[in-house]
Amino acid sequence: MQKSVLIIDDEAKLRGLLSRIIEMEGYRVLQAGTAREGLKLLDAEIIHVVLSDVKLPDINGVELVKHVKEKSPYAEVICLTAYGTIQDGVTAIKNGAFDYIIKGDDNEKILPLVSKAFEKASLQYKLYELENKIINQHSFDGILGSSAQIKDAINLARKVSATDTTVLLLGETGTGKEVFAQCIHYNSNRKSKSFVAVNCSAFSSELLESELFGYRAGAFTGAQKDKKGLVEEADGGTLFLDEIGEMSIDLQAKLLRVLESGEFIKIGDTKTQKINARILAATNRNLQDEIEKGRFRQDLFYRLSVFTIYLPSLNERTGDIKPLAEHYLKIYAAKTNPKIKSIDGGLLKKLESYHWKGNVRELKNLIERAVILCDGDTLTANLLPSGYDAQPESAGMVFELSMVEKNHIRKILQYTKGNKTEAARLMNIGLTTLYRKIEEYQI
């Protein structure tokens, strides 16, 4: 990384002198005579350290610190002044300046200060690049698919990400619920804080409680020291509860308290703690059925389903199978077999006619396996494991009447662009019946 310094001063001779001194230490130095010129350079160049005079013709150097930080959060600013005041120095530091020094008296401090400022700025720049990389990895644009169903889900998720609203993600296993949860988090104003994910089905009820809420030393046998729970870890960020339908009814009551008041109590403690975490939840279960069976709290369901997003199964968007398969081919071919360039039409036809129980996750694993086994430059149907290459004609059919009805209602609503009155008319049913069906099937 080339070390770069920007000097902003309206005195050309002083700029030139400082520039020569700093260049001798191996820095690339840029110069500007006004604050506005300097800010333009910040837009065009990667600058690590800014040396700025306080008395500039257009913007006060102390105020300039804020503008620099807005444009380049990782850049460090050293303010130079001929007549320093305590008030200016305090304001400069509050605005984010690295230091505030007097010209003439502190000349010998400039090079060591620039070196320390560069060290801090370079670390911050690496962190800034890493954060941007993570955010780009979890961009909504990275979710593949052009079907109306997946586009609708993306549009809803994009809109709700800008809020702090609780979101419930519904869909079959492997439809990408955690991918959507990550995208919502990294496109929210909480993106610089933690994204904490927990699979509720991976723990027993007792263990899940201690994982979520933590405990005090001595709360139970083996609790030798205090443990911070995942709810606390997510403070300021996002807590993603996957497979929420697997959570025990007793633990649901404690989660409800977090949602309603932002408070929780560690196991073995008597004091409540406040947290500010956004809750995202996901399930492949029909929570309405779980409520009727007494396995899920209705009040918790209403709190979680403030904003519900349904993620379509791969069987509902077969037109996305080809771009998804080609995407995973590129990923796995680059890792293990770069000579593989394409997917045979016969294989694609079989993939598009297959009934995907594991959805996108299953397709991803299948392509990875095929890439490993392939000896040529094209993936072919003979690379499919048994069960994929020969399916009965009924393999892709849905036999449950409820699923047929659900899919039919969804298609009619898509046709009417969400107009429920028109959809009810076309299906020759009452509007009240349609609303009941929509709620029943969580459409």
Side-chain angles (χ1 to χ4, degrees), residues 59 66 89 114 142 145 207 254 289 327 334 347 371 394 396 417:
I59 301 174
K66 288 195 291 188
V114 168
L207 189 54
K254 295 190 175 185
D289 284 349
H327 171 72
L347 173 56
V371 166
S394 60
K417 297 180 180 178

Side-chain angles (χ1 to χ4, degrees), residues 26 98 102 112 155 183 233 237 274 289 315 352 392 405 417:
F98 184 79
I102 311 297
N155 288 337
C183 286
E233 292 282 0
K274 293 284 289 184
D289 284 349
N315 302 307
E352 288 171 349
E405 187 175 49
K417 297 180 180 178

Side-chain angles (χ1 to χ4, degrees), residues 90-381:
V90 170
T91 305
I93 300 301
K94 280 184 177 179
N95 288 349
F98 184 79
D99 210 336
Y100 175 92
I101 62 175
I102 311 297
K103 291 180 182 178
D105 296 342
D106 293 336
N107 282 348
E108 70 280 1
K109 292 183 179 179
I110 289 177
L111 287 177
L113 268 179
V114 168
S115 177
K116 288 178 182 177
F118 171 75
E119 286 178 12
K120 185 179 178 184
S122 61
L123 285 173
Q124 289 179 159
Y125 182 67
K126 287 176 184 176
L127 181 61
Y128 172 79
E129 283 190 312
L130 181 61
E131 286 177 347
N132 276 348
K133 185 178 179 181
I134 291 171
I135 290 168
N136 289 334
Q137 283 176 345
H138 300 297
S139 164
F140 286 112
D141 294 332
I143 299 175
L144 295 179
S146 57
S147 63
Q149 296 95 322
I150 197 67
K151 280 186 174 180
D152 286 346
I154 291 170
N155 288 337
L156 287 172
R158 199 189 294 273
K159 287 177 181 177
V160 79
S161 64
T163 72
D164 268 344
T165 302
T166 303
V167 179
L168 179 62
L169 298 163
L170 301 175
E172 296 177 7
T173 298
T175 50
K177 294 186 288 291
E178 184 164 355
V179 170
F180 267 76
Q182 289 174 330
C183 286
I184 290 170
H185 170 74
Y186 286 108
N187 287 273
S188 74
N189 56 10
R190 295 174 178 263
K191 61 187 174 186
S192 60
K193 300 294 183 179
S194 298
F195 174 82
V196 179
V198 57
N199 188 325
C200 299
S201 65
F203 302 93
S204 65
S205 178
E206 295 77 14
L207 189 54
L208 181 58
E209 182 178 2
S210 66
E211 287 295 315
L212 283 176
F213 301 111
Y215 51 78
R216 290 296 182 196
F220 50 83
T221 304
Q224 297 178 353
K225 59 182 181 179
D226 289 357
K227 174 182 171 63
K228 201 174 183 180
L230 296 176
V231 168
E232 196 175 352
E233 292 282 0
D235 191 21
T238 301
L239 177 65
F240 174 54
L241 299 169
D242 199 6
E243 302 301 344
I244 188 72
E246 308 293 331
M247 183 179 284
S248 71
I249 198 84
D250 293 334
L251 196 50
Q252 289 172 30
K254 295 190 175 185
L255 176 61
L256 182 62
R257 182 176 184 178
V258 174
L259 283 162
E260 289 183 335
S261 63
E263 294 179 345
F264 72 98
I265 301 176
K266 286 188 174 184
I267 300 172
D269 203 352
T270 56
K271 295 179 180 178
T272 60
Q273 286 185 237
K274 293 284 289 184
I275 58 111
N276 173 22
R278 182 183 193 176
I279 307 292
L280 307 179
T283 184
N284 60 6
R285 291 195 176 198
N286 185 324
L287 293 184
Q288 294 284 11
D289 284 349
E290 297 298 301
I291 291 168
E292 289 176 11
K293 293 171 184 175
R295 293 199 292 251
F296 204 84
R297 293 178 63 110
Q298 190 169 44
D299 48 4
L300 178 58
F301 172 72
Y302 289 135
R303 288 291 298 162
L304 289 172
S305 60
V306 173
F307 198 97
T308 302
I309 301 175
Y310 172 77
L311 303 188
S313 67
L314 196 53
N315 302 307
E316 294 175 86
R317 54 182 188 118
T318 53
D320 291 335
I321 289 175
K322 181 180 178 181
L324 282 166
E326 289 173 343
H327 171 72
Y328 293 126
L329 168 62
K330 286 180 183 178
I331 291 174
Y332 293 119
K335 288 180 180 179
T336 58
N337 199 342
K339 67 181 181 181
I340 304 174
K341 303 297 181 185
S342 61
I343 301 175
D344 178 72
L347 173 56
L348 278 174
K349 189 175 180 181
K350 288 183 180 294
L351 295 179
E352 288 171 349
S353 63
Y354 180 71
H355 184 68
W356 297 94
K357 293 180 181 178
N359 292 293
V360 177
R361 187 182 297 140
E362 186 182 0
L363 174 63
K364 180 180 177 181
N365 293 341
L366 186 71
I367 296 299
E368 183 179 13
R369 180 185 186 276
V371 166
I372 293 169
L373 295 174
C374 184
D375 294 322
D377 60 0
T378 302
L379 297 186
T380 55

Side-chain angles (χ1 to χ4, degrees), residues 56-93:
L56 294 169
D58 48 356
I59 301 174
N60 181 279
V62 173
E63 281 298 308
L64 177 63
V65 176
K66 288 195 291 188
H67 297 294
V68 171
K69 287 291 184 180
E70 285 170 5
K71 286 186 176 291
S72 301
Y74 53 84
E76 291 299 332
V77 185
I78 300 170
C79 292
L80 305 172
T81 181
Y83 307 100
T85 67
I86 294 173
Q87 183 58 47
D88 272 357
V90 170
T91 305
I93 300 301

